[in-house]
Amino acid sequence: MDSHEVAALIKKHVNDIRIVNDRCLFATSDKQRCGDVLLTLKGRGVTHISTITGVDRGDVVEVIYHFDCRPAQLNLKIPLPKDDLRILTITDFFPGAILYERDLMEMLGVKVEGHPDPRKLFLPDDWPEGEYPLRKEWREKSK
Amino acid sequence: MTFVVPIGPQHPALKEPEFFRFEVKGEEIVDVDIHLGYAHRGIEEALSRRNYKHNIYLSERICGICNVVHTTTYCQAVEQLAGVEPPERAKYIRAIIMELERIHSHLLWLGIAAHQIGFNTLFMLAWRDREYVMDLREMISGGRVHSATNTIGGVRRDVKTEHVPTILHGLEKLEQSTKYYINLFGSDRTILARCTNLGVLSKKDAIKFCAVGPLARASDVKTDIRRDDPYGAYDALSFNVVIEREGDVWAKGMVRLREILESIRIVRQALKEMPGGPIRTRVSLQIPPNETVERTEAPRGELFYYIRSNGTDTPERVRVRTPTYGNFASMKSMFVGGTVAEIPIVMWSIDPCFGCNDRVTLVDSRTDKTRVVSFDELRRWRK
Amino acid sequence: MMEVVNFVINSLVFPGLLFASLVGLFYVGIDRKVTGHMQHRIGPPIWQEYLDVGKLLSKEDITPGAAQSFIFNIVPLVSLGAIVTVMLFLPVTSAQPALTSVADLIVIIYLLNIPAICVMLGGYSSGSPFGALGAGRHVVQLFSYEFVFILAIIAVVARVGSLSLGTVVDFQAQQGWLVLDWRLLPAVIAALIAAQGKLLRVPFDIPEAESEIVHGALTEYSGPKLAIWRLAYDIETIVVAGLLAALFFGGPTTYVIGGTQIPGIVDFLIKTLAIVLLATTLRNIMARLRIDQALKFYWSFAALLAIISLVLVLAVP
């Protein structure tokens, strides 16, 4: 699928779509409709998730899922408010995301609900609770 | 009765520190658990605290072996953010150096794989031939390993006309020895005994766990970013995507060895078709708020960069997903059911690069602490 | 009185500890140098093995806290003692060994097993998972090569009709080398394969496969104790080579070339060196097998060779 086909496919589940070129597009959705997008993609044979990125944007944490729709790269953004950092796991649809979600949990403090193995991945086991190294406030603290 | 064989953080089978807990019953592996993070340097956070120029050199140091592909991905992403296109000649030079890097990485893989199965002669010979590539890279870029060739908007050094015959001669020698190794890898009885039907990753699992690179290609998944999402000069270059069907260690090795031949082809073609002209355009590095993703095919598989700019000369967020990180999810299905003797070669069959893998933020003082944890664990098992 | 002095000299100086260690270390040095050249490297100097053992001997003696210290400390010495004793039973200068008994081949077979058993005990008593795994593999490997080795020796014994190594050498002096006897040729190949396993060389270096289980049973050993292990291993190299030379290649023979008499010891050294170099070549052209593959290989292919040889010796006059 190229960018335009992907855009047509997920149009009704997302808020806005920005098509960069034939092989790259960004889309923004929300927590409730995220599952619908995943189901639609899965239904069209998308199996590869490149990674999950978390970006701290001040009052929201943006979770970006990077799907490989061969050849188009769909970057699906889900903004989460900082006082409610919870999202459902996508490992039921994309088992390859298991490590990326663990990474997301420990680095940005996004609670991934229903994750099969929510232990620390990179950080040591005795890392203090509530410290998330990729958050903006952590950067202020570590200066 | 099961007992635990700790592999790591320091172990001869691992060339870098990482910790794997293998639960074994006699010689059979029943479970494996991965503890990452022993080589954390906090590079993602460091990248977002330095300006775009400094970051070229920082991204080069994410991984020693595949440093050119890291800088290429980074530079291409920043070029996209800034909305500039590097000159054609620069794209070809990048392709040449990246393919030389692939050759050197795969020969390095062959050497260590041979060492893991106790075939030290092949190890030494493969690394002797790897020196040809290193010499070529040194001649072109000035650095044997860290080439420091890429810059935002092009490359810093040109491939000179007088270099071309030397490169072609070096490729000739490499092609000969690679053909010999392919023959050897496919016919030597002891290699076959140690590599076939081991650490099998089925096509289903490879797709399910999002395997990338040679690991996926050895399981009959035809994926190659150079072909799927061509970048730089790869649009104009022709090559085959090498696949094998078996999914075992042997297939993973064979894919890599045959890829060397493809890379040699690409370099020859690029040298022939390389256009003249400038090698670099100037780029203003005050980049307006924007975001981009960039994917390339590193020697180990899909390399992924996400960069968000914020109007200053410093990126707001850089996310790096290295191929090894993408391949760890497939690991369990390759190990469970195998034997202890298979651990080193199966582990090496994914060509793990822990330096690449562990690049997410961590404070330095903390790394000491993690080390203590697993030494305790080691001690517990000695009592 | 004279006998006691003789025995002490035999066991400590010649052909015992001193001679065996000097030659053994030298041979392993040659082996490492040749390996280096085969692998297109320069390789260590030939005397490197002396330096290594010397360095280890000068280091601090450490016993890990988790080890069963008595067994852990005693087994290297037992192993070295056993292997030096075999040296006394080998024909080194002439057909007559320093010590003789009616059936010295049986004594040699027993004594040659002691180092392997000691390595196992050392591994199990070291309290390390790598040691235990290495020891376990050692047991399996012992059961695979030993059967083949003994069968090959029985074939020789059946041919010569004596259990005494001296008689075997005398027999060859009159009838020609046993390796030239077509009925014994399969047994020679089987014995060489078994020796490769006994000396833990590729493709049978499974019990100490460094990329899998660090250094196997010897992982926890360091300093002087490791030096003694190294010494025992190096002497085992020359002992096994010497035994093969005596069994199949005529043993030490004295020649007269141009009026000068060449002593048997020179012949012994040449023959053992040739066998060591053959083993070196084998270990450099192969990859390591897995323990189950090695077991299968020994019990099917190698054992078959030895049995064929034995049957031929018994059936064909």
Side-chain angles (χ1 to χ4, degrees):
Chain A
M1 288 185 285
D2 70 12
S3 296
H4 301 278
E5 287 170 296
V6 176
L9 187 68
I10 60 169
K11 200 162 57 197
K12 56 181 183 293
H13 305 300
V14 295
N15 298 334
D16 73 301
I17 294 182
R18 182 169 70 88
I19 296 177
V20 183
N21 57 35
D22 268 0
R23 293 196 301 263
C24 180
L25 75 160
F26 285 85
T28 312
S29 183
D30 50 48
K31 209 157 66 176
Q32 283 74 33
R33 292 190 289 168
C34 173
D36 300 331
V37 182
L38 298 181
L39 269 179
T40 323
L41 288 174
K42 191 85 187 172
R44 283 298 296 270
V46 175
T47 50
H48 190 85
I49 176 159
S50 288
T51 189
I52 303 173
T53 307
V55 187
D56 187 350
R57 311 215 58 202
D59 47 350
V60 292
V61 170
E62 231 172 54
V63 177
I64 313 177
Y65 297 99
H66 305 278
F67 294 104
D68 185 358
C69 307
R70 300 195 198 266
Q73 177 84 10
L74 166 65
N75 307 290
L76 180 69
K77 295 195 223 172
I78 314 285
L80 299 172
K82 272 224 174 128
D83 46 8
D84 184 29
L85 281 176
R86 285 180 300 132
I87 194 164
L88 273 176
T89 178
I90 65 160
T91 48
D92 307 337
F93 305 111
F94 296 92
I98 183 159
L99 292 179
Y100 309 138
E101 287 193 340
R102 281 169 71 177
D103 182 351
L104 186 71
M105 280 190 273
E106 65 181 2
M107 291 298 170
L108 281 135
V110 176
K111 192 161 167 26
V112 180
E113 290 172 332
H115 191 279
D117 183 16
R119 286 174 308 156
K120 293 264 193 302
L121 179 64
F122 291 108
L123 298 181
D125 291 334
D126 56 353
W127 185 263
E129 276 298 310
E131 298 278 354
Y132 303 110
L134 281 180
R135 288 270 196 90
K136 284 234 162 91
E137 36 301 4
W138 206 82
R139 183 189 291 197
E140 294 304 315
K141 219 187 304 177
S142 68
K143 255 178 193 165
Chain B
M1 187 198 84
T2 65
F3 67 105
V4 171
V5 180
I7 303 283
Q10 306 294 338
H11 187 277
L14 304 171
K15 306 301 161 213
E16 290 166 273
E18 210 70 276
F19 185 45
F20 298 87
R21 265 176 97 248
F22 284 94
E23 239 170 75
V24 298
K25 201 185 258 174
E27 285 254 331
E28 193 197 341
I29 302 166
V30 290
D31 199 12
V32 51
D33 189 20
I34 314 163
H35 289 241
L36 303 175
Y38 290 90
H40 264 194
R41 289 154 295 165
I43 285 202
E44 274 188 21
E45 178 70 10
L47 282 166
S48 61
R49 291 189 192 191
R50 282 164 180 78
N51 67 30
Y52 291 108
K53 266 268 138 75
H54 287 161
N55 281 346
I56 304 171
Y57 304 99
L58 194 52
S59 68
E60 188 158 38
R61 274 147 188 85
I62 289 177
C63 176
I65 295 171
C66 32
N67 62 80
V68 183
V69 81
H70 270 277
T71 50
T72 308
T73 322
Y74 171 78
C75 291
Q76 280 174 3
V78 177
E79 282 153 14
Q80 260 186 40
L81 283 176
V84 293
E85 183 84 354
E88 280 300 304
R89 190 175 174 82
K91 288 183 184 172
Y92 276 85
I93 294 174
R94 278 178 184 174
I96 289 170
I97 299 186
M98 274 194 286
E99 290 310 317
L100 288 180
E101 182 172 82
R102 196 182 313 276
I103 298 170
H104 121 71
S105 173
H106 286 347
L107 279 177
L108 182 137
W109 178 89
L110 174 68
I112 300 195
H115 173 63
Q116 306 288 25
I117 57 171
F119 201 159
N120 281 337
T121 310
L122 180 57
F123 169 34
M124 296 295 165
L125 295 185
W127 279 41
R128 177 198 65 187
D129 292 336
R130 177 172 161 267
E131 286 303 310
Y132 295 140
V133 197
M134 306 310 274
D135 290 346
L136 293 184
R137 285 181 51 153
E138 185 173 10
M139 188 183 71
I140 297 173
S141 68
R144 257 168 63 86
V145 179
H146 280 265
S147 71
T149 291
N150 281 310
T151 189
I152 296 164
V155 291
R156 290 173 53 235
R157 278 214 195 194
D158 203 352
V159 175
K160 298 187 186 70
T161 345
E162 64 261 31
H163 287 163
V164 176
T166 325
I167 300 175
L168 289 176
H169 181 65
L171 292 178
E172 198 72 39
K173 281 197 277 190
L174 277 169
E175 190 172 26
Q176 269 172 19
S177 46
T178 310
K179 281 187 175 152
Y180 173 71
Y181 294 140
I182 290 179
N183 183 19
L184 181 78
F185 207 74
S187 61
D188 187 275
R189 295 286 287 269
T190 44
I191 292 181
L192 289 177
R194 284 307 300 275
C195 291
T196 44
N197 297 322
L198 282 193
V200 177
L201 182 67
S202 63
K203 184 173 183 178
K204 210 176 106 231
D205 279 349
I207 293 172
K208 185 173 152 198
F209 292 113
C210 304
V212 296
L215 186 66
R217 288 198 282 280
S219 303
D220 202 15
V221 182
K222 205 163 185 177
T223 161
D224 190 326
I225 306 297
R226 290 177 294 174
R227 188 203 55 157
D228 297 343
D229 187 4
Y231 50 92
Y234 285 105
D235 238 346
L237 298 168
S238 72
F239 58 95
N240 299 323
V241 178
V242 178
I243 54 166
E244 293 280 342
R245 290 174 195 289
E246 292 86 350
D248 53 6
V249 173
W250 183 85
K252 285 162 203 157
M254 211 51 175
V255 163
R256 292 196 172 93
L257 285 173
R258 286 172 53 202
E259 266 181 20
I260 297 179
L261 291 183
E262 290 300 321
S263 295
I264 292 174
R265 235 180 92 195
I266 296 176
V267 177
R268 281 190 183 140
Q269 205 182 340
L271 282 172
K272 210 165 91 193
E273 294 169 6
M274 191 158 58
I279 54 166
R280 185 176 179 182
T281 46
R282 294 277 160 191
V283 184
S284 155
L285 288 178
Q286 296 287 336
I287 297 176
N290 197 354
E291 60 189 335
T292 188
V293 294
E294 185 62 40
R295 295 188 294 165
T296 51
E297 184 74 16
R300 291 166 173 74
E302 177 197 34
L303 173 65
F304 180 97
Y305 268 65
Y306 166 87
I307 304 184
R308 182 194 282 268
S309 57
N310 58 2
T312 63
D313 64 348
T314 311
E316 182 172 319
R317 171 89 165 97
V318 182
R319 164 75 172 167
V320 186
R321 204 296 317 276
T322 55
T324 305
Y325 189 18
N327 280 337
F328 266 130
S330 329
M331 223 168 139
K332 201 163 174 171
S333 67
M334 287 162 58
F335 274 119
V336 172
T339 65
V340 177
E342 294 167 8
I343 293 175
I345 182 66
V346 174
M347 176 121 45
W348 190 249
S349 74
I350 71 169
D351 202 354
C353 176
F354 303 127
C356 276
N357 183 64
D358 289 357
R359 83 251 89 75
V360 197
T361 314
L362 196 76
V363 208
D364 283 347
S365 60
R366 290 275 169 184
T367 41
D368 288 331
K369 202 137 199 193
T370 39
R371 211 181 271 139
V372 175
V373 171
S374 70
F375 267 128
D376 281 348
E377 198 146 13
L378 273 174
R379 273 195 210 107
R380 208 175 71 230
W381 281 105
R382 282 169 49 174
K383 287 261 151 67
Chain C
M1 188 60 207
M2 206 49 216
E3 263 179 27
V4 176
V5 173
N6 248 339
F7 179 74
V8 170
I9 290 177
N10 278 336
S11 51
L12 288 184
V13 185
F14 183 87
L17 189 61
L18 186 69
F19 170 76
S21 16
L22 285 178
V23 177
L25 293 178
F26 187 67
Y27 276 13
V28 174
I30 293 177
D31 167 63
R32 288 172 68 177
K33 186 80 183 171
V34 171
T35 300
H37 279 288
M38 282 181 171
Q39 299 178 346
H40 273 249
R41 355 178 229 112
I42 298 168
I46 288 177
W47 56 87
Q48 183 64 42
E49 199 67 12
Y50 299 109
L51 303 180
D52 282 357
V53 170
K55 179 198 74 180
L56 284 174
L57 277 173
S58 68
K59 294 233 168 183
E60 187 191 359
D61 189 15
I62 298 169
T63 307
Q68 300 279 332
S69 60
F70 176 70
I71 295 178
F72 185 81
N73 288 333
I74 203 78
V75 282
L77 287 170
V78 174
S79 162
L80 182 67
I83 208 75
V84 170
T85 315
V86 185
M87 209 55 204
L88 303 184
F89 283 98
L90 281 185
V92 176
T93 48
S94 64
Q96 209 52 33
L99 276 182
T100 40
S101 68
V102 190
D104 42 8
L105 268 172
I106 291 180
V107 182
I108 288 175
I109 290 173
Y110 269 100
L111 284 174
L112 272 180
N113 277 340
I114 290 180
I117 293 163
C118 285
V119 170
M120 275 175 235
L121 287 175
Y124 279 127
S125 66
S126 70
S128 139
F130 299 119
L133 263 177
R137 287 176 174 199
H138 233 108
V139 180
V140 179
Q141 180 139 330
L142 180 68
F143 278 108
S144 22
Y145 68 71
E146 199 55 33
F147 176 67
V148 177
F149 200 64
I150 292 174
L151 269 184
I153 292 178
I154 291 178
V156 172
V157 170
R159 176 78 183 85
V160 178
S162 163
L163 275 167
S164 154
L165 204 50
T167 317
V168 173
V169 174
D170 283 339
F171 179 87
Q172 293 182 76
Q174 290 150 20
Q175 311 254 342
W177 294 2
L178 286 177
V179 68
L180 301 174
D181 185 336
W182 65 274
R183 283 168 294 178
L184 277 171
L185 200 60
V188 178
I189 298 169
L192 284 172
I193 296 171
Q196 199 82 352
K198 223 176 177 59
L199 297 175
L200 301 183
R201 278 153 175 265
V202 182
F204 306 114
D205 63 335
I206 309 153
E208 51 168 38
E210 60 147 19
S211 53
E212 293 157 24
I213 49 173
V214 191
H215 202 255
L218 304 187
T219 304
E220 296 297 326
Y221 279 97
S222 61
K225 287 199 279 280
L226 185 60
I228 294 173
W229 275 125
R230 280 283 278 279
L231 208 55
Y233 171 82
D234 292 355
I235 297 177
E236 196 178 352
T237 309
I238 182 174
V239 163
V240 172
L243 181 61
L244 288 176
L247 282 175
F248 300 110
F249 301 95
T253 327
T254 34
Y255 296 98
V256 180
I257 299 173
T260 13
Q261 198 183 20
I262 313 278
I265 179 86
V266 177
D267 192 38
F268 173 83
L269 289 178
I270 293 172
K271 278 173 181 164
T272 45
L273 183 61
I275 292 171
V276 168
L277 286 179
L278 179 66
T280 307
T281 315
L282 283 180
R283 87 167 176 148
N284 278 315
I285 56 170
M286 275 181 236
R288 182 191 306 127
L289 291 174
R290 257 194 345 258
I291 188 77
D292 54 314
Q293 291 165 341
L295 188 68
K296 213 170 134 195
F297 176 79
Y298 273 119
W299 280 88
S300 54
F301 179 72
L304 193 68
L305 279 180
I307 290 173
I308 288 175
S309 201
L310 184 56
V311 170
L312 283 177
V313 167
L314 293 177
V316 183

